[in-house]
Each structure stands twice: as structure tokens, then as C-alpha cells.
Amino acid sequence: MTDERDPPDIPLEPFPVHRPESPFPPLYESLPPPPADPPSDWIRNADAHDLPTRENRLAALGRFAFPPAPPLDDEGVAARDRRWSSRAILVIAAFLLVFNAVSPLNWSRQQAPGWVQGTVQQLSEVWVAQLAVFGVDMPRQGVREAWTAARDARFIGQEPVTGAGSTATGVS
């Protein structure tokens, strides 16, 4: 036994060579002839879109069981629009209540002391602390830190910001 392979029957050449003889017989000679079309099958002026189509039985049953509603009048359209607006406002309020929970706390700290201000501040502190456990305040803190860093950035040769930000230097 040797490590060399047997030489190929067809000599290998750098470019393919056209060989007129084929080792495979033509396919059409080995297949039986197809059946002929019946003479009545062909209508010369027929259009496929004119043919009747069967409707899906489930769709017909659904249309029978649940007939389409009549179009809405002006009151119905107004009621649908009010429902859509109310849902959008509620979703936005819930989003802000979760992801911007610090705003009521900051608002309550800016108000004059009183019962409403104290209640809002205490509720907001508890709400912010509960949300901080889940980390939903991190995106807001990240944006706030990026804004503070951009506000406090200085060009080379400028004096650095002193104090609690640029408000101490008089730049807003």
C-alpha cells in the first residue's frame, strides 16, 4: 500500500475541456410521455379572475356569528378618541411616575412648608426609595450626570468650576 492516490482516468488539465459524449443518457428519453390535455379543458377567452372561488367556511361562520358593526357616528368617533386620549395620558403618567419619580420630591422641596407640601415630600421620599431598589432611577441619574459633566466641562486654559457647579461662577 502506498500513500499516493491512483491516477485519474481523465487527465487533469489546467482548463476544462468540452467533451461531446456524456456518460449520462438524456432524461427526456427515459421518461414516459405526459398525458395530453383533454380537448374541453382549454377555453381561449377564459380569465382566471372570473372563476368562482370558495370562501373559507370559518370566515363565513365568523361573519354570521359576529356581523360587522355599523360605522360610527360623530358621537361614537368622539368617544373612541376620548378613550384613546385617556389611555395615552394614563400610560404616560405611569411612565413618568416610575422613571421620573424625583420630580414630585423636587417640587415639594421648593414649596412653602405646609401640610400638602410635607405629605407630598414624605410620599415622594418613600416612592423614590422603593424604586431605587429596582434601579429604575439609574437612567435618569445617568442623564443627569452626563448633563452635569457637560455643563462643568471647560476648554484648556479655562478656570475650573468651583463650588456646586457653574451656578457659583455665574454661568447658567
Side-chain angles (χ1 to χ4, degrees):
M1 179 169 211
T2 64
D3 290 339
E4 295 181 21
R5 295 181 5 179
D6 295 333
D9 295 336
I10 302 170
L12 297 177
E13 298 177 3
F15 298 105
V17 177
H18 175 67
R19 300 180 148 261
E21 67 278 354
S22 172
F24 305 105
L27 185 61
Y28 59 85
E29 292 177 1
S30 63
L31 294 177
D37 287 338
S40 64
D41 191 35
W42 179 255
I43 301 173
R44 206 172 281 281
N45 58 357
D47 185 11
H49 298 288
D50 294 338
L51 298 175
T53 57
R54 278 191 87 163
E55 185 180 17
N56 186 352
R57 292 180 184 173
L58 190 58
L61 179 65
R63 198 172 45 259
F64 175 73
F66 306 105
L72 295 175
D73 58 349
D74 290 340
E75 283 186 33
V77 171
R80 183 185 61 194
D81 293 345
R82 281 192 302 271
R83 283 193 306 268
W84 184 90
S85 300
S86 301
R87 290 176 186 154
I89 290 170
L90 286 175
V91 167
I92 291 169
F95 184 83
L96 289 174
L97 190 61
V98 170
F99 291 104
N100 199 16
V102 180
S103 292
L105 181 61
N106 291 338
W107 174 84
S108 67
R109 289 178 180 162
Q110 294 173 357
Q111 301 303 313
W115 181 83
V116 173
Q117 179 270 341
T119 305
V120 170
Q121 184 173 356
Q122 289 175 352
L123 287 174
S124 296
E125 287 173 351
V126 171
W127 180 248
V128 168
Q130 291 296 321
L131 290 178
V133 171
F134 297 112
V136 295
D137 60 338
M138 292 176 68
R140 189 199 61 81
Q141 286 179 351
V143 170
R144 177 75 177 189
E145 290 170 2
W147 177 76
T148 305
R151 183 187 62 187
D152 294 342
R154 296 289 178 249
F155 290 107
I156 298 174
Q158 272 187 319
E159 296 179 13
V161 177
T162 58
S166 60
T167 56
T169 60
V171 178
S172 56

